[in-house]
Structure formats: C-alpha cells, structure tokens
Amino acid sequence: MSAAMSFQPVLLWTDLLLFLLLGSAVLATLHVRANPPLREAWRRVGKRPTGMAAATILLAFVAVGVLDSLHFRPLLPAFEASSADVTPSGAAEAAAAEAMYSTEVLSLLDHLLAPLRLHTEKTYSAPFAAQLFQREAMELPDGRQLRGYPRLVHGAAHLQQPESEQAADIAQRLARAAGQALLAWLVIFAVLASLVWRGSGLRWGEIARAMLSARTVLAWRAALLTLGAVVLIVAICLELAPLYHVFGTDKVGQDVLYLSLKSVRTALVIGTITTLVMMPFAVALGIAAGYLGGWVDDAVQYLYTVLNAIPGVLLIAAAVLMMQVVIDTNPQWFDTAAERSDARLLALCFILGITSWTGLARLLRGETLKLRELDYVQAARAFGVKTPAILRRHILPNVMHLVMIALVMDFSGLVLAEAVLSYVGIGVDPTTISFGTMINMARAELAREPMVWWSLAAAFAFMFVLVLAANLFADVVRDAFDPRRS
Amino acid sequence: MFAYLIRRAMYAIPILIGVNLLTFVLFFVVNSPDDVARMQIGVKRATPEAIERWKLERGYDKPMFINTEATGSARFSETIFFDKSLRMFALDFGRADDGRDIGQEIRDRMGPSLAIALPTFILSLGVSISFALLLVFFRATYLDFWGVVLCVAMMSISSLFYIIGGQWLVSKLWALVPISGYASGLDAGRFLILPVMISVLAGIGSSARWYRTIFLEEISKDYVRTARAKGLSELAVLFRHVLRNALIPILTGVVVVIPLLFMGSLLVESFFAIPGLGSYTIDAINAQDFAVVRAMVFIGSVLYIIGLILTDLSYTLVDPRVSLQ
C-alpha cells in the first residue's frame, strides 16, 4: 500500500530546525499582532522603503531556502517500473514493500530545477556559450581528427547556427520573459492591493494609486518595485535557464545558476540556525548573571571570558577538526551522504553559536543589571513575586528587543563567515553546495588564460545581494526597536 | 598602578587554565588519540601497530592525567595533560607533525605577520576615522547618506572578493606588483603594498560606519552645544571635542586587537603567500596538525588577555578621570 509511494520523505536535522524557526516566526507574528507596542515597532520597519525592499528580497531568498529544505529520497527507477503495474500477487507486493529508495537525497527545489540539475556538460563553459570552454579532440564524420571547441550537450543545443541565431533568440526570449513578468507582477499587485483595501473603507482604485505613488503608511511602493525586479529576474531565468547556461558551468560541468540557488539554503541555515542554537544559552546565562549576581555572575563572566580569549577562527578550527574526526569515525550513524554533510553543517552551526553567544550574553547581562534596579522590578520583588516569575514576566520581555536585533545583525556576518571558513577548510562539508565551496573551487582556476570568472562572479553576486539585503533590513530593525535611537 | 597590573595578571591565570582545559577536552577527550591516529594514518591502513607507532612518535602513548606506573612527581608529569597542555605555560609548544620546533617557527614567522598587520592596522584606523569624521561633518546631507550607503555596500562584500578582485586587477591586469610572495628586508615593500591596501579597503565599510555612530552619539551631547555656542568652528568642535571624547569607546574596540596583530591575518597571508603566523595556522588546519593549532590557540588567548590589560591602561591615557587601583 505505502509501497506505491514514489518517494520517501527525509527530514534532515537542519530542515527540522529551519521549520522550527519558521514556526516560531509565525507564532511571533501572531504575538506581535496582539501586542500594540510591538506592532508599532514593526510598523516603523514597514514605513521605511529600505526596510520593505530588503524584506522583499529576503523573503525571496527564504522561499528558495524553504523549497530546498523539503527533502526526499526518490524511488529507484527499477522499482518505479514494478510499482507502476503492481499486481495483487504476494511476491510483487513484498518486493514493492521492500522498495529501494535512492541514496541520493533530493529536495523539492532539486525537483523543480531538474532541467538545470541534470543538464551537465563535460567541463567549463562560459555563460550563454554554445561551445565548451576547452579545446578537445573531435572526430569528424569522415573519420578525421580535429582539435576544436565541441558543442555543448545542452547549452544552446536548440540552435542550428549559434553564432548567428543566438542574439535574436535571446532577445526574443527576453521580450517574452518581460511580458510574463509584467503579467505576474500585475497579478501580485492586484492581490496585494486587495489585501490592503480589505476593510479600509476606501475605493480599490484609490488604494492602488496610493500604493503606487508611495502615499500609504507602509512603504508599499518600494516593496512593489523590488518585487517587480525579483519577478523579472525569475521570469528571465525561467525562460533562458532551460536552454542556456545563464551563469556558465563549473569544472565538472554543473550549471552555476543551479549551484548558486542551492547555496542559498546553506547560507540561510548558517545565518539563522547558529543564532537560534546560541540564543537560549545567551539569554539564560546573560539574564541569570545580571539578575542573580554573586557567584552565578562570576561563573558566567568567567565562562565567556575564556571563550572570548580564544581567537574565534582558531576555536572554530579546533572544534570543526574534532567534529570531523567524530563524524569520520562513526560512519554508521548516517544512512546517506546528505545526512553526513548535514551533520557537519549542523555541527558548524553549533560551533559558530558557541563562539558567538558571548557578545549577546554580555549585552543581556548589562541590560538586566539596569532593569533589576527599576521600580517595577523592585516592586515585584517587594510583593514577593518569585524570581523565575520576575525573570519571565518583567525582565525577559524587556530584553527581547536586544535578542531580535542580535538575530538580524548577526545574520550577514555569519553568511560572510561561512565563505571564509569554507576557504580555510573548516567550513561546510566539501560536498555541501555553498558559496564558500563554490568560491573555493573556482579560485584555483583564476590563473587560467582566458580566465574562468563566472562561478566566482555568480557566488559573489548572490552573496552580495543576500548580505546587502540582510544588512539593510538589520539596520531598519535596529532603528525601529532600539529605544535609544527613536 | 603596578599593583593593579599584578592583580590583572593574576586574573589571567584562571582564564588561561580554562582555555587550556577547554582545548585539552576538545583535542583529547572528545576524540581519543586513537581516533586521531586512525584518521591521520587513514582508516584503511590503520593497523593497531601503526596506531601505536604513531602515538609513540608524537608522545600520545602516555596516560591522560595520572600515570599509575610511575612514582613520585612523574606520576603527573609523565602524562599527556602535563606534556601537551601544562608545558605551554612555559612557552614550550613541542614539535609539529613535520618534526620542527613550534616555538622556533612562531618566532620566525612573527616578523612577516607584523610587517603586514601593523601597517594595515594603522592605515585602516586613520582612514576609517577620517572618513567617519567627514561623514559626520556633512551629516544630514546627501554626502552623508550616500557615504553610509557606500559603507553598507562595502561591508556586504565578501573579503574574499576584495582579495581575489584586487589580485586580479592590480597584479594581473595592471601588472603593478607581484601577485604573491615575500622577501625580507626593504624589498618586502613591493610584496606588502597590495595586501595592506586590500585589507584596509575591506575593513573601511564596517569600521567607518561604527565610528560614525560613536561620533554622532557624542555630537548630540551638551558640551558640544556649548562649544558651538562659544563660537568654535565646526572643525574645531569635531577635532578638539568630539574626537577626543569619542576615544574611550573607540579604544575599547581597538586596543584589544593590537597584541593579536602578531597572529597575522589568516586570509591575506594565505592568499599572498606571506610566511607569517596566519598562513602557518591555515597550513596546520589543512594538514590537521593539532599540535600547532593548540599552540596558536594558547598564544592567541595570552595575547587577548594582554590586550584587555592594555585597554585598561589606555583609558588612563585618554581620560584623566580613570585611575587604576
């Protein structure tokens, strides 16, 4: 019965944590809606055009990351055939029940991008190229040998004469993509305008005009313009990527656009889960040290001074090297290669978290020291409220904005750090696709003449857009939540 | 003041012990020497004899904490903990996997590291503070706005991009300086100028923005208004009042890294093939030479603690209200 399933869902640890994070984001949204001061703070974020624009781009990246986090193992082709015409006879049933799933773990994004993923060439090819980047010996139909640039198997394969037809073909497809993008954008605009219009008591046209001329409270125009750019890029990729290698191919012939999109998830995981795993420590220890004082304070301060004393990269290096030994000596823990590299990714998040919680803990300790002297906390203590209740009811809500700010501020730094760490050799597993591994692989080819620049360019471009959006968003969030800055 | 320094130095001891214990746990308890040996030799070729030989060559064949077979003080000194961890307090780091003395290697490599880190540090401090002051002078104008945008854009670019791009543009396309390498003496300048420039450029974005925030916070205070009210020019206000008063928060972040300059920069040194401590560390990490990584962790933490003490000392220099007792 269940044997007819054509895939087996796989929940990697980082998937779980990522969905946990998404879930808590939804809960937090509900909480914010019910809480006027918080709603007001977020409204301040939404009023800033940079905030809305950055949030739009970040959401696009998150969408890619989420699609890439729904993992499954496809049924092996041999069993797919047998399960298609399943007979009620016992033998076939048993065979199907024992169905073998591929050891290759795919994600929904892999599935959607199947043309990109499977269109591999032999080796490097430049963006939009029709031929391989390297000369190779080719056999002509009459049996003579010739050294030349062979045609790509997939890139521009639909063209007979690439040199003469390519420009017209690309132009035509670009025009079509622009049309589709415009259409999609109009639909999204209509939906958004209707959402804003609902219950406003104004006419729909007025709302739409106000949104376009930036007369709304929230900076809808910035969001819509950014969304237009995102939709346009997506449409262009949808139109061109199945036929050309838009960003070229890498050394083993994989499409660079595909690699870049896959890297987004790794970056998001490192940027968010690191903060997620360190937050409980930082909050608990920071608040406890600040509120309780005495030996607790001494112990916590000692702990973070020790951790701070070790240069970050070295502590990470030491911990990652050790973690790698653990992973390598226990291969029986992991069913698939994806699970093993996921374990390393998670370990990296934990290690980065351990080295970076000290800053937030120190900040929270300082803030709690201030809060505990405030009248309402003193009053609560005088009324005999128990310490845990005071911490939960009076201290925690008043330091949460610091946690929020730290979460968004750390993100961009972590994404950048991942690339550097992977270069140093202490980052993600070499089989995990990430910006760092992309750069690392491309770096060796810089000395070539002519230069292979496209993998680097794509990795840096994606990373720049992601980090810039995160930085801008973090600034706006900090301005909105930091009481000192309003 | 002297008593204060002594006390601070005493505080350092428990911290160093903590660092030592942490690295010991990481390197010897999370993974037993057997695991490490098996991985270094290669899982397939790791016979029990090969593992024993590997451990013997590197001195990992002793017991962890207490040697029950020895007598007297040797009960404690003939152990891995004593050999590999406690000896570091005497700056005895033992030998790397290639048999060279780590202490000697570190002394040799400090020079090149410093040759690149010190100019970088001074230049980037100067450039960032000047840029931040410029932005603050033109605050609330388009220059300020676009300056901040530039800072945010610059800090959003990966440092790898600065290095790779700089090498490509300056060394390859314009062929102005060698791509990488190092020479001792005055000849080094040729090799140092590009890495220093790139490091300065890569750091401007975040530090200039940070200094700008500090200056802006300072500029909204009452004494600045008073200074303006008594007729000082804006430039005089900035340099004579704002800059000097902003030194305390600036020093907090800056002085602590000065001793760490000895450690060099991992990325820059490795990209430009400069034989400093940074590239030494990277090589050790890539070769999984744990003895070197342990030594660098220890030195790093010692230098960090020196940095903390220097920070306190620097406060007394810039703020007459601070005195160390």
Side-chain angles (χ1 to χ4, degrees), chain A residues 302 313 423-424 446 471 475, chain B residues 14 26 156 172 209 266 270 286:
Chain A
Y302 174 73
V313 182
Y423 164 74
V424 180
L446 276 181
N471 271 333
D475 271 7
Chain B
L26 260 181
S156 304
K172 207 169 163 194
R209 207 171 70 121
L266 296 182
S270 122
N286 284 332

Side-chain angles (χ1 to χ4, degrees), chain B residues 53-105:
Chain B
R53 198 168 54 244
W54 188 90
K55 278 163 61 185
L56 188 69
E57 276 167 11
R58 287 164 183 74
Y60 291 134
D61 55 333
K62 295 168 186 166
M64 280 286 176
F65 291 104
I66 296 170
N67 193 341
T68 46
E69 287 164 23
T71 51
S73 64
R75 273 177 89 88
F76 299 100
S77 63
E78 287 293 308
T79 57
I80 292 181
F81 184 66
F82 184 85
D83 257 7
K84 304 290 173 193
S85 270
L86 291 184
R87 270 173 201 266
M88 285 200 194
F89 282 100
L91 298 185
D92 172 7
F93 300 116
R95 293 187 178 279
D97 280 353
D98 58 3
R100 290 202 225 166
D101 182 38
I102 298 177
Q104 185 58 39
E105 198 86 349

Side-chain angles (χ1 to χ4, degrees), chain B residues 19-41:
Chain B
V19 169
N20 222 300
L21 219 58
L22 187 73
T23 37
F24 186 80
V25 167
L26 260 181
F27 281 97
F28 294 109
V29 182
V30 174
N31 295 289
S32 68
D34 285 40
D35 289 337
V36 178
R38 200 169 299 128
M39 204 189 64
Q40 295 251 330
I41 304 171

Side-chain angles (χ1 to χ4, degrees), chain A residues 292-410:
Chain A
L292 300 175
W295 68 267
V296 180
D297 194 15
D298 290 341
V300 172
Q301 282 198 62
Y302 174 73
L303 194 64
Y304 68 59
T305 316
V306 167
L307 282 175
N308 259 348
I310 304 175
V313 182
L314 284 172
L315 184 57
I316 295 167
V320 169
L321 287 180
M322 287 300 120
M323 210 50 76
Q324 191 55 43
V325 176
V326 173
I327 291 175
D328 283 351
T329 47
N330 296 293
Q332 73 278 8
W333 291 351
F334 312 104
D335 283 348
T336 57
E339 279 173 36
R340 196 174 59 239
S341 49
D342 184 69
R344 167 129 178 202
L345 181 62
L346 189 64
L348 186 66
C349 290
F350 271 91
I351 292 160
L352 282 170
I354 287 170
T355 52
S356 65
W357 67 272
T358 53
L360 182 60
R362 183 184 297 183
L363 204 67
L364 290 177
R365 174 179 168 273
E367 191 68 18
T368 313
L369 277 179
K370 269 186 261 168
L371 286 177
R372 63 173 292 194
E373 302 305 327
L374 291 185
D375 289 343
Y376 62 87
V377 180
Q378 302 271 17
R381 218 176 311 160
F383 281 131
V385 181
K386 297 250 175 5
T387 305
I390 294 183
L391 289 181
R392 191 168 45 79
R393 216 180 296 154
H394 299 298
I395 306 282
L396 193 60
N398 286 304
V399 297
M400 270 328 264
H401 69 282
L402 291 176
V403 178
M404 252 292 303
I405 294 171
L407 192 105
V408 290
M409 296 288 283
D410 284 350

